[in-house]
Amino acid sequence: MFLTYLEYCRFYRDLGWRTGVQIVPVDCDSSNNFQITKVALEAAYDKAQQDGINVKGLIITNPSNPLGTTLDRETLKCLLSFINEKNIHIVCDEIYAATIFSSQNFVSVSEVIEEVVDCNRDLIHIVYSLSKDMGLPGFRVGIVYSYNDAVVNCGRKMSSFGLVSSQTQYLLASMLSDEEFVEDFLAESSKRLKKRHGIFTKGLEQIGISCLESKAGLFVWMNLRQLLKEQTNDGEMALWRVIVNDVKLNVSPGSSFHCVEPGWFRVCFANMDDETLEVALKRIHAFVGEQNTLSTKTKDMPSKTKCWKKNLRLSFSSRIFEEGIGSPIAMSPHSPLVRARN
């Protein structure tokens, strides 16, 4: 079993469906801006032990998906202290390492271990890909960096099932060897992410919607708790269905990331052009405005649900997902599923 802290929802599917590995979330909430703490780690670990579950490791993403936050040096040291104390592994997914758009630099766990005395490096593993930082998801190139020889040897034996073509290797080697290009590309990417993030979050602020302060990633963690009819997961799912089916915006409910606090949603802001972003903000403004108007009516007055024009369609994905099979945000057998409408 692995512990994970408010992480990428596909972990539950990718790691558990075929292997039977159980993923147990470490509960965090907005009281401390969803920061992972030693207390939360200990609570999740002790609960698993009480349930007869043998904890083998901890999985984190840094920068975080869905939060867009980064782990500082002291927090990483705390995590290393925890896994060394429990003698369990840590897998650090650093796939968003170069998407930071603030002045703060990214701190990798590989840097921190140099400062930790008596750190068992056999327990530390890093995964990475070019799909986010370099915008190359179709190349299907991933990296596993481990200090454990047994893990590396196992990876070599399995690599034949996921070989990268010679042509792809040649192209990527040429591109990454051009240090000037890579530096300029990442600088421009960071600049654009910062601008887009600012436009989107300020647009939400105009209608009273706040987001968790973030420094990296391609998304924001949006707070819609004030729009829930009831502060439960069912209330969150009811709101999500309205946003997806009626407002025609594709957002991910916090429950699909095992968030314990209903009303948080992940919204991707970097997968569309400027015109589409403007349309998305207009739809959010109209929807929230309608909800605020309805909330001011007396309980005795029947309210009418706005009929959204059918020609207002906004899709962030061209794929069609059948209910019960998969969706962009449903990544475990218990997650919500959406039927995409083109």
Coordinates of all heavy atoms in Angstrom, one line a residue, residues 240-289:
W240 N -20.9 20.0 -9.9 CA -20.1 19.6 -11.0 C -20.9 19.2 -12.3 O -20.6 19.6 -13.4 CB -19.2 18.4 -10.6 CG -18.4 17.8 -11.7 CD1 -17.3 18.3 -12.3 CD2 -18.7 16.5 -12.3 NE1 -16.9 17.4 -13.3 CE2 -17.7 16.3 -13.3 CE3 -19.6 15.5 -12.1 CZ2 -17.6 15.2 -14.1 CZ3 -19.6 14.4 -12.9 CH2 -18.6 14.3 -13.9
R241 N -22.0 18.5 -12.1 CA -22.8 18.1 -13.2 C -23.4 19.3 -13.9 O -23.6 19.3 -15.1 CB -23.9 17.1 -12.7 CG -23.3 15.7 -12.3 CD -24.5 14.7 -12.0 NE -23.9 13.4 -11.6 CZ -23.7 13.1 -10.4 NH1 -24.1 13.9 -9.4 NH2 -23.2 11.9 -10.1
V242 N -23.8 20.3 -13.1 CA -24.4 21.5 -13.8 C -23.3 22.2 -14.6 O -23.6 22.6 -15.7 CB -24.9 22.4 -12.7 CG1 -25.3 23.8 -13.3 CG2 -26.2 21.8 -12.0
I243 N -22.1 22.3 -14.0 CA -21.0 23.0 -14.7 C -20.7 22.3 -16.0 O -20.5 22.9 -17.1 CB -19.8 23.1 -13.8 CG1 -20.1 24.0 -12.6 CG2 -18.6 23.7 -14.6 CD1 -19.0 24.1 -11.6
V244 N -20.6 20.9 -16.0 CA -20.2 20.2 -17.1 C -21.4 20.1 -18.2 O -21.2 20.4 -19.4 CB -19.8 18.7 -16.7 CG1 -19.6 17.8 -18.0 CG2 -18.5 18.8 -16.0
N245 N -22.6 19.8 -17.7 CA -23.7 19.5 -18.6 C -24.4 20.8 -19.1 O -24.8 20.8 -20.3 CB -24.7 18.6 -18.0 CG -24.1 17.2 -17.7 OD1 -23.3 16.7 -18.5 ND2 -24.5 16.6 -16.6
D246 N -24.5 21.8 -18.3 CA -25.3 23.0 -18.6 C -24.4 24.1 -19.0 O -24.6 24.8 -20.0 CB -26.2 23.4 -17.5 CG -27.2 22.3 -17.1 OD1 -27.5 21.5 -18.0 OD2 -27.7 22.3 -16.0
V247 N -23.4 24.4 -18.2 CA -22.5 25.5 -18.5 C -21.5 25.2 -19.6 O -20.9 26.0 -20.2 CB -21.8 26.0 -17.2 CG1 -21.0 27.3 -17.4 CG2 -22.8 26.2 -16.1
K248 N -21.3 23.9 -19.8 CA -20.3 23.4 -20.8 C -18.9 23.7 -20.5 O -18.1 24.1 -21.4 CB -20.7 23.9 -22.2 CG -22.2 23.6 -22.6 CD -22.5 22.1 -22.6 CE -23.9 21.9 -23.1 NZ -24.3 20.5 -23.0
L249 N -18.5 23.6 -19.3 CA -17.1 23.7 -18.9 C -16.6 22.5 -18.3 O -17.3 21.9 -17.5 CB -16.9 24.9 -17.9 CG -17.2 26.3 -18.4 CD1 -17.1 27.3 -17.3 CD2 -16.3 26.7 -19.6
N250 N -15.4 22.0 -18.7 CA -14.9 20.8 -18.2 C -13.9 21.1 -17.0 O -12.8 21.5 -17.2 CB -14.1 20.1 -19.3 CG -13.7 18.6 -18.9 OD1 -14.0 18.2 -17.8 ND2 -13.1 17.9 -19.8
V251 N -14.4 20.8 -15.8 CA -13.6 21.0 -14.6 C -13.6 19.7 -13.8 O -14.3 18.8 -14.1 CB -14.2 22.1 -13.7 CG1 -14.2 23.4 -14.4 CG2 -15.6 21.7 -13.2
S252 N -12.6 19.6 -12.9 CA -12.5 18.3 -12.2 C -12.8 18.5 -10.7 O -12.3 19.4 -10.0 CB -11.0 17.8 -12.2 OG -10.6 17.7 -13.6
P253 N -13.8 17.8 -10.2 CA -14.2 17.9 -8.8 C -13.1 17.5 -7.8 O -12.4 16.5 -8.1 CB -15.5 17.1 -8.7 CG -15.3 16.0 -9.7 CD -14.5 16.7 -10.9
G254 N -13.0 18.1 -6.7 CA -12.0 17.8 -5.7 C -12.1 16.3 -5.2 O -11.1 15.7 -4.9
S255 N -13.3 15.8 -5.2 CA -13.5 14.4 -4.7 C -12.8 13.4 -5.6 O -12.4 12.3 -5.1 CB -15.0 14.1 -4.7 OG -15.6 14.3 -5.9
S256 N -12.5 13.7 -6.9 CA -11.8 12.8 -7.8 C -10.3 12.8 -7.4 O -9.6 11.9 -7.8 CB -12.0 13.2 -9.2 OG -11.4 14.5 -9.5
F257 N -9.9 13.8 -6.6 CA -8.5 13.8 -6.0 C -8.5 13.4 -4.6 O -7.5 13.5 -3.9 CB -7.9 15.2 -6.2 CG -7.8 15.7 -7.6 CD1 -8.9 16.4 -8.1 CD2 -6.7 15.4 -8.4 CE1 -8.8 16.9 -9.4 CE2 -6.7 15.9 -9.7 CZ -7.7 16.6 -10.2
H258 N -9.7 12.9 -4.1 CA -9.8 12.5 -2.7 C -9.6 13.6 -1.7 O -9.1 13.5 -0.6 CB -8.9 11.3 -2.4 CG -9.3 10.0 -3.0 ND1 -9.9 9.0 -2.3 CD2 -9.2 9.6 -4.3 CE1 -10.1 8.0 -3.1 NE2 -9.7 8.3 -4.3
C259 N -10.1 14.8 -2.2 CA -10.1 16.0 -1.3 C -11.2 15.8 -0.2 O -12.3 15.5 -0.6 CB -10.3 17.3 -2.1 SG -10.3 18.8 -1.1
V260 N -10.8 16.0 1.0 CA -11.8 15.8 2.1 C -12.7 17.0 2.3 O -13.7 16.9 3.1 CB -11.1 15.5 3.5 CG1 -10.2 14.2 3.3 CG2 -10.2 16.7 3.9
E261 N -12.5 18.1 1.6 CA -13.3 19.3 1.8 C -14.1 19.6 0.5 O -13.5 20.0 -0.5 CB -12.3 20.5 2.1 CG -13.0 21.7 2.7 CD -11.9 22.7 3.1 OE1 -11.4 22.6 4.2 OE2 -11.7 23.7 2.3
P262 N -15.4 19.4 0.5 CA -16.2 19.5 -0.7 C -16.2 21.0 -1.2 O -16.1 21.9 -0.4 CB -17.6 19.2 -0.2 CG -17.4 18.4 1.0 CD -16.2 18.9 1.7
G263 N -16.2 21.1 -2.5 CA -16.4 22.5 -3.1 C -15.1 23.0 -3.8 O -15.2 24.1 -4.4
W264 N -14.1 22.2 -3.8 CA -12.8 22.6 -4.6 C -12.8 21.9 -5.9 O -13.2 20.7 -6.0 CB -11.6 22.3 -3.8 CG -11.4 23.1 -2.5 CD1 -11.9 22.8 -1.3 CD2 -10.7 24.3 -2.4 NE1 -11.6 23.8 -0.4 CE2 -10.8 24.8 -1.1 CE3 -10.0 25.1 -3.3 CZ2 -10.3 25.9 -0.6 CZ3 -9.4 26.3 -2.9 CH2 -9.6 26.7 -1.5
F265 N -12.4 22.6 -7.0 CA -12.3 22.1 -8.3 C -11.0 22.5 -9.0 O -10.5 23.6 -8.8 CB -13.5 22.7 -9.2 CG -14.9 22.2 -8.7 CD1 -15.5 22.8 -7.6 CD2 -15.5 21.2 -9.4 CE1 -16.7 22.4 -7.2 CE2 -16.8 20.8 -9.0 CZ -17.4 21.4 -7.9
R266 N -10.5 21.5 -9.7 CA -9.3 21.9 -10.5 C -9.7 22.3 -11.9 O -10.5 21.7 -12.6 CB -8.4 20.6 -10.7 CG -7.0 20.9 -11.3 CD -6.3 19.7 -11.7 NE -6.9 19.1 -12.9 CZ -6.4 18.1 -13.6 NH1 -5.2 17.6 -13.3 NH2 -7.0 17.6 -14.7
V267 N -9.1 23.5 -12.3 CA -9.4 24.0 -13.6 C -8.1 24.2 -14.4 O -7.2 24.9 -13.9 CB -10.1 25.4 -13.5 CG1 -10.6 25.9 -14.9 CG2 -11.4 25.3 -12.6
C268 N -8.0 23.6 -15.6 CA -6.8 23.8 -16.4 C -7.0 25.1 -17.2 O -8.0 25.3 -17.8 CB -6.7 22.6 -17.4 SG -6.4 21.0 -16.6
F269 N -6.0 25.9 -17.2 CA -6.0 27.2 -17.9 C -5.0 27.3 -19.1 O -5.0 28.3 -19.8 CB -5.8 28.4 -16.9 CG -4.4 28.3 -16.3 CD1 -3.3 28.8 -16.9 CD2 -4.3 27.9 -15.0 CE1 -2.0 28.8 -16.3 CE2 -3.0 27.8 -14.4 CZ -1.9 28.3 -15.1
A270 N -4.2 26.3 -19.2 CA -3.1 26.3 -20.2 C -3.4 25.5 -21.5 O -2.5 25.4 -22.3 CB -1.8 25.9 -19.6
N271 N -4.6 24.9 -21.6 CA -4.9 24.0 -22.7 C -5.9 24.6 -23.7 O -6.6 23.9 -24.3 CB -5.4 22.7 -22.2 CG -6.7 22.8 -21.4 OD1 -7.0 23.9 -20.9 ND2 -7.4 21.8 -21.2
M272 N -5.8 25.9 -23.8 CA -6.8 26.6 -24.7 C -6.1 27.9 -25.2 O -5.2 28.4 -24.6 CB -8.1 26.9 -24.0 CG -7.9 27.9 -22.8 SD -9.4 28.0 -21.7 CE -8.9 26.7 -20.5
D273 N -6.7 28.5 -26.2 CA -6.2 29.8 -26.7 C -6.9 30.9 -26.0 O -7.8 30.7 -25.1 CB -6.4 29.9 -28.2 CG -7.9 29.7 -28.6 OD1 -8.8 30.0 -27.8 OD2 -8.1 29.3 -29.8
D274 N -6.5 32.1 -26.2 CA -7.0 33.3 -25.5 C -8.5 33.5 -25.7 O -9.2 33.8 -24.8 CB -6.2 34.5 -26.0 CG -4.8 34.6 -25.5 OD1 -4.4 33.8 -24.6 OD2 -4.0 35.3 -26.1
E275 N -8.9 33.2 -26.9 CA -10.4 33.4 -27.2 C -11.2 32.4 -26.4 O -12.3 32.8 -25.9 CB -10.6 33.2 -28.7 CG -12.1 33.4 -29.1 CD -12.3 33.2 -30.6 OE1 -11.3 33.0 -31.3 OE2 -13.5 33.3 -31.0
T276 N -10.8 31.2 -26.3 CA -11.5 30.2 -25.6 C -11.5 30.5 -24.1 O -12.5 30.3 -23.4 CB -10.9 28.8 -25.8 OG1 -10.8 28.5 -27.2 CG2 -11.7 27.7 -25.1
L277 N -10.4 31.0 -23.6 CA -10.3 31.4 -22.2 C -11.3 32.5 -21.9 O -12.0 32.5 -20.9 CB -8.9 31.9 -21.9 CG -8.7 32.5 -20.4 CD1 -8.8 31.3 -19.4 CD2 -7.3 33.2 -20.3
E278 N -11.4 33.5 -22.8 CA -12.4 34.6 -22.6 C -13.8 34.0 -22.6 O -14.6 34.5 -21.8 CB -12.3 35.6 -23.8 CG -13.2 36.8 -23.6 CD -13.0 37.8 -24.8 OE1 -12.0 37.6 -25.6 OE2 -13.8 38.7 -24.9
V279 N -14.1 33.1 -23.5 CA -15.5 32.4 -23.5 C -15.7 31.7 -22.1 O -16.8 31.8 -21.5 CB -15.6 31.5 -24.6 CG1 -16.9 30.7 -24.5 CG2 -15.6 32.2 -26.0
A280 N -14.7 31.0 -21.7 CA -14.8 30.3 -20.4 C -15.1 31.2 -19.2 O -16.0 31.0 -18.4 CB -13.5 29.5 -20.1
L281 N -14.4 32.3 -19.2 CA -14.6 33.3 -18.1 C -16.0 33.9 -18.2 O -16.7 34.1 -17.1 CB -13.5 34.4 -18.1 CG -12.2 34.0 -17.6 CD1 -11.2 35.1 -17.8 CD2 -12.3 33.7 -16.1
K282 N -16.5 34.2 -19.4 CA -17.8 34.8 -19.6 C -18.9 33.8 -19.1 O -19.9 34.2 -18.4 CB -18.0 35.1 -21.0 CG -17.3 36.4 -21.5 CD -17.6 36.7 -22.9 CE -16.9 38.0 -23.4 NZ -17.2 38.3 -24.8
R283 N -18.7 32.5 -19.3 CA -19.6 31.5 -18.9 C -19.6 31.4 -17.4 O -20.7 31.2 -16.8 CB -19.3 30.2 -19.5 CG -19.6 30.2 -21.0 CD -19.4 28.8 -21.6 NE -19.7 28.8 -23.0 CZ -19.7 27.7 -23.8 NH1 -19.6 26.5 -23.2 NH2 -20.0 27.8 -25.1
I284 N -18.5 31.4 -16.8 CA -18.4 31.3 -15.3 C -19.0 32.6 -14.7 O -19.8 32.4 -13.7 CB -16.9 31.2 -14.9 CG1 -16.3 29.9 -15.4 CG2 -16.8 31.3 -13.4 CD1 -14.8 29.8 -15.1
H285 N -18.8 33.7 -15.3 CA -19.4 35.0 -14.7 C -20.9 34.9 -14.8 O -21.6 35.2 -13.9 CB -18.9 36.2 -15.6 CG -17.6 36.7 -15.1 ND1 -17.3 38.0 -15.0 CD2 -16.4 36.0 -14.9 CE1 -16.0 38.2 -14.6 NE2 -15.5 37.0 -14.6
A286 N -21.4 34.4 -15.9 CA -22.9 34.3 -16.1 C -23.5 33.3 -15.2 O -24.5 33.6 -14.5 CB -23.2 33.9 -17.6
F287 N -22.8 32.2 -15.0 CA -23.3 31.1 -14.1 C -23.3 31.6 -12.7 O -24.3 31.4 -12.0 CB -22.5 29.9 -14.3 CG -22.8 28.8 -13.3 CD1 -24.0 28.1 -13.3 CD2 -21.9 28.4 -12.3 CE1 -24.3 27.1 -12.4 CE2 -22.2 27.4 -11.4 CZ -23.4 26.8 -11.5
V288 N -22.2 32.1 -12.2 CA -22.1 32.6 -10.8 C -23.1 33.7 -10.6 O -23.7 33.8 -9.5 CB -20.7 33.0 -10.5 CG1 -20.6 33.6 -9.1 CG2 -19.7 31.8 -10.6
G289 N -23.2 34.6 -11.5 CA -24.2 35.7 -11.4 C -25.6 35.2 -11.2 O -26.4 35.7 -10.4

